[in-house]
Amino acid sequence: MIVNLYGTSAISEEGHLSVGGVDTVKLSQKYGTALYVYDVAMIREKARAFRNAFEQEKVNYQVAYASKAFSCMAMIQLAEEEGLSLDVVSGGELYTALKAGFPVERIHFHGNNKSEAEIRMALDAKIGCFVVDNFYELTLLEQLAEEKNVVANVLLRITPGIEAHTHDYILTGQEDSKFGFDLQSGQVEQAIVQATSMKAIHLLGLHCHIGSQIFETNGFVMAIEKIYRYLARWFELYGYEPEVLNLGGGFGIRYTEEDHPLPVGDYIAAMVNAVRAQLGNEMKIPEIWIEPGRSLVGEAGLTLYTVGSHKKVPELRHYLAVDGGMTDNLRPALYQAKYEATIANRMNEPKEQVYSVAGKCCESGDMLIWDCKLQSAIAGDTMAVFSTGAYGYSMANNYNRLPRPAVVFVENGEAQLVVKRESFEDLIRHDLPLKQAIISK
Ligand code: PLP
């Protein structure tokens, strides 16, 4: 009997966790652990849900995948297959997108400190749009675009004074953030006036991103209302109205059973309705763009580990260590992020033990999950940690000189390796030996 669990995950006849029709225990044997596994059907489903929601609202739109959540060539190609646009924030993310053959006109370039070289690279590639973060960048972009005799499409990133995180909204006047032009103090108005007078700049509109892991629509609605209070004035004063309004990402996902994300259509309907409600008689509805990262790939990814050592602290805690940790999933150490797990080769056994899942790095803070209910586990078992698809691989690092894991895509009973595991050789690839002359001194 195959029992369906979540997305396309299921319990196989041998009592193993399977994803996309592939046995995860076999995956761990074939590709080794730690291993990132992505359920491709689930990524497609999420992408289509966002796009369908916009189609239903009958507005012009772009859904740009925020590739910082997980960037590799195969993922970028999957985003292209699903008709998404792409948000990149560095020369490296842009390079990956270009090498993956992503349509340049659908690439949006973010970042609060784009270098001259990065801007030149993006201008040469003829990307669709720059999300300009500050006055320094606006002037630099104009100069470089002029030099190349091209016109750069621009969104101005604004900080609307509304920060949303999960269920909390923080209303701030001038937002104390390294990102964007401040709305309250007149910076946005000044930037609009400046950008519209620049020959090498075409001002497409405005952008804001209010936070992450958001479970309600109010924050987006509040931001839209606030932005339109200003837009109404600028329309009167300058006849200015944006062609595009980009409302960022941040749509919440389920990491643990405490998380209750909304269907994506709810966010989109609330956003479009809020914009429509603000337009008045004369302003036209802009094209609405969003840039989800986590909500496209987070729940579709899981990480497989092999269980190793146990340590019991009598009457206090039972530590269970795995062959990865903060090197492949920095989020618990960085944000105290919570996860759920299972023992993938013991899916039919009850979860009667409470373990704290430790990584193998030389840091006490290298804990993946505290006090997690799991099946009784022994060394050699395969553990699966769920919802690691966003900001897992992309924040992976080589602390303690651990090689970065491989990434596998699974779909319709087939697995495909999309990122190779790093080798020890890879770890020293850029090292140069100490010069003999220095050693002998
Ligand atoms: N857009 C911007 C400007 C961001 O800073 C981020 C995340 O940091 C995103 C989009 C993606 O956010 P999420 O992955 O929470 O959807």
Side-chain angles (χ1 to χ4, degrees):
M1 187 187 49
I2 308 248
V3 182
N4 205 43
L5 292 172
Y6 189 58
T8 67
S9 66
I11 301 175
S12 73
E13 277 155 17
E14 298 105 306
H16 293 176
L17 175 70
S18 85
V19 181
V22 182
D23 184 324
T24 57
V25 179
K26 292 196 179 120
L27 283 176
S28 71
Q29 287 157 356
K30 179 162 180 191
Y31 298 103
T33 53
L35 180 70
Y36 300 102
V37 180
Y38 281 86
D39 181 346
V40 173
M42 200 166 174
I43 300 176
R44 292 191 196 281
E45 189 192 299
K46 302 272 178 192
R48 288 171 197 181
F50 275 116
R51 295 195 57 205
N52 289 340
F54 276 111
E55 299 287 342
Q56 277 188 358
E57 295 299 328
K58 302 201 171 19
V59 283
N60 292 328
Y61 69 93
Q62 285 193 34
V63 177
Y65 169 54
S67 67
K68 72 202 77 172
F70 167 49
S71 174
C72 71
M73 303 233 299
M75 181 59 223
I76 304 297
Q77 286 162 347
L78 182 58
E80 147 64 355
E81 269 186 24
E82 290 303 321
L84 303 176
S85 298
L86 199 70
D87 149 9
V88 300
V89 294
S90 69
E93 284 184 5
L94 175 58
Y95 183 79
T96 309
L98 297 177
K99 284 286 170 186
F102 197 87
V104 285
E105 66 282 3
R106 300 209 311 263
I107 298 180
H108 313 158
F109 194 6
H110 262 283
N112 68 313
N113 189 23
K114 300 175 188 77
S115 70
E116 202 174 308
E118 286 174 321
I119 294 176
R120 282 184 199 280
M121 178 182 174
L123 286 170
D124 289 341
K126 300 186 170 48
I127 64 154
C129 161
F130 290 81
V131 185
V132 170
D133 206 88
N134 48 60
F135 289 108
Y136 168 78
E137 182 189 342
L138 189 59
T139 310
L140 180 61
L141 177 61
E142 186 207 17
Q143 268 172 21
L144 299 178
E146 223 165 47
E147 225 176 71
K148 290 181 186 290
N149 210 13
V150 293
V151 174
N153 288 322
V154 160
L155 292 180
L156 299 173
R157 178 166 181 174
I158 68 173
T159 45
I162 286 156
E163 261 182 55
H165 295 280
T166 309
H167 299 288
D168 301 327
Y169 301 99
I170 306 166
L171 291 170
T172 53
Q174 275 154 274
E175 203 173 307
D176 187 7
S177 160
K178 73 170 185 171
F179 294 112
F181 298 92
D182 184 60
L183 190 58
Q184 198 103 334
S185 61
Q187 286 180 357
V188 180
E189 183 169 352
Q190 195 189 331
I192 291 174
V193 171
Q194 213 167 306
T196 45
S197 72
M198 291 171 158
K199 284 200 190 68
I201 298 289
H202 171 67
L203 180 61
L204 272 181
L206 303 179
H207 168 285
C208 76
H209 171 79
I210 58 169
S212 58
Q213 206 35 4
I214 302 171
F215 289 127
E216 285 163 20
T217 57
N218 315 21
F220 293 105
V221 172
M222 282 158 71
I224 290 164
E225 288 172 353
K226 189 152 180 199
I227 293 168
Y228 267 93
R229 280 208 290 282
Y230 287 83
L231 278 174
R233 202 153 57 82
W234 299 332
F235 187 65
E236 253 185 61
L237 279 176
Y238 314 110
Y240 174 74
E241 59 179 325
E243 290 168 51
V244 171
L245 181 61
N246 186 330
L247 294 165
F251 313 104
I253 67 163
R254 186 189 179 284
Y255 285 102
T256 71
E257 60 186 10
E258 290 164 20
D259 300 326
H260 303 287
L262 292 175
V264 297
D266 291 10
Y267 294 104
I268 306 306
M271 285 174 171
V272 176
N273 289 337
V275 172
R276 283 205 167 107
Q278 297 297 314
L279 291 175
N281 293 331
E282 288 180 286
M283 291 175 92
K284 292 181 287 297
I285 185 147
E287 198 166 306
I288 298 185
W289 296 3
I290 54 165
E291 41 196 29
R294 186 190 318 270
S295 51
L296 282 167
V297 295
E299 291 175 17
L302 60 79
T303 312
L304 298 176
Y305 299 99
T306 300
V307 171
S309 64
H310 284 247
K311 176 191 169 177
K312 266 191 183 161
V313 184
E315 286 161 48
L316 197 59
R317 218 178 299 279
H318 191 160
Y319 289 91
L320 188 63
V322 294
D323 55 351
M326 64 191 291
T327 40
D328 57 77
N329 188 356
L330 195 57
R331 294 188 69 257
L334 201 57
Y335 315 118
Q336 291 75 51
K338 291 185 181 163
Y339 288 89
E340 284 173 359
T342 194
I343 302 298
N345 55 313
R346 299 181 187 277
M347 294 301 287
N348 291 332
E349 295 175 26
K351 288 188 168 179
E352 285 178 344
Q353 299 291 323
V354 177
Y355 296 115
S356 286
V357 181
K360 64 178 274 138
C361 296
C362 225
E363 278 288 326
S364 306
D366 178 28
M367 293 296 299
L368 288 174
I369 312 178
W370 290 100
D371 300 328
C372 173
K373 271 201 153 181
L374 282 172
Q375 303 91 325
S376 186
I378 57 167
D381 281 346
T382 304
M383 183 185 296
V385 176
F386 295 105
S387 292
T388 58
Y391 308 105
Y393 175 77
S394 62
M395 286 189 177
N397 58 81
N398 293 125
Y399 181 53
N400 289 166
R401 291 237 136 172
L402 296 194
R404 266 180 270 248
V407 184
V408 166
F409 275 11
V410 290
E411 190 174 26
N412 298 327
E414 279 183 26
Q416 188 200 344
L417 183 66
V418 295
V419 181
K420 287 194 228 166
R421 180 176 302 283
E422 281 180 345
S423 64
F424 290 149
E425 232 350 86
D426 291 329
L427 293 176
I428 59 161
R429 191 156 20 118
H430 300 294
D431 292 7
L432 298 170
L434 195 62
K435 275 189 194 152
Q436 280 305 315
I438 295 173
I439 294 171
S440 61
K441 267 187 196 163

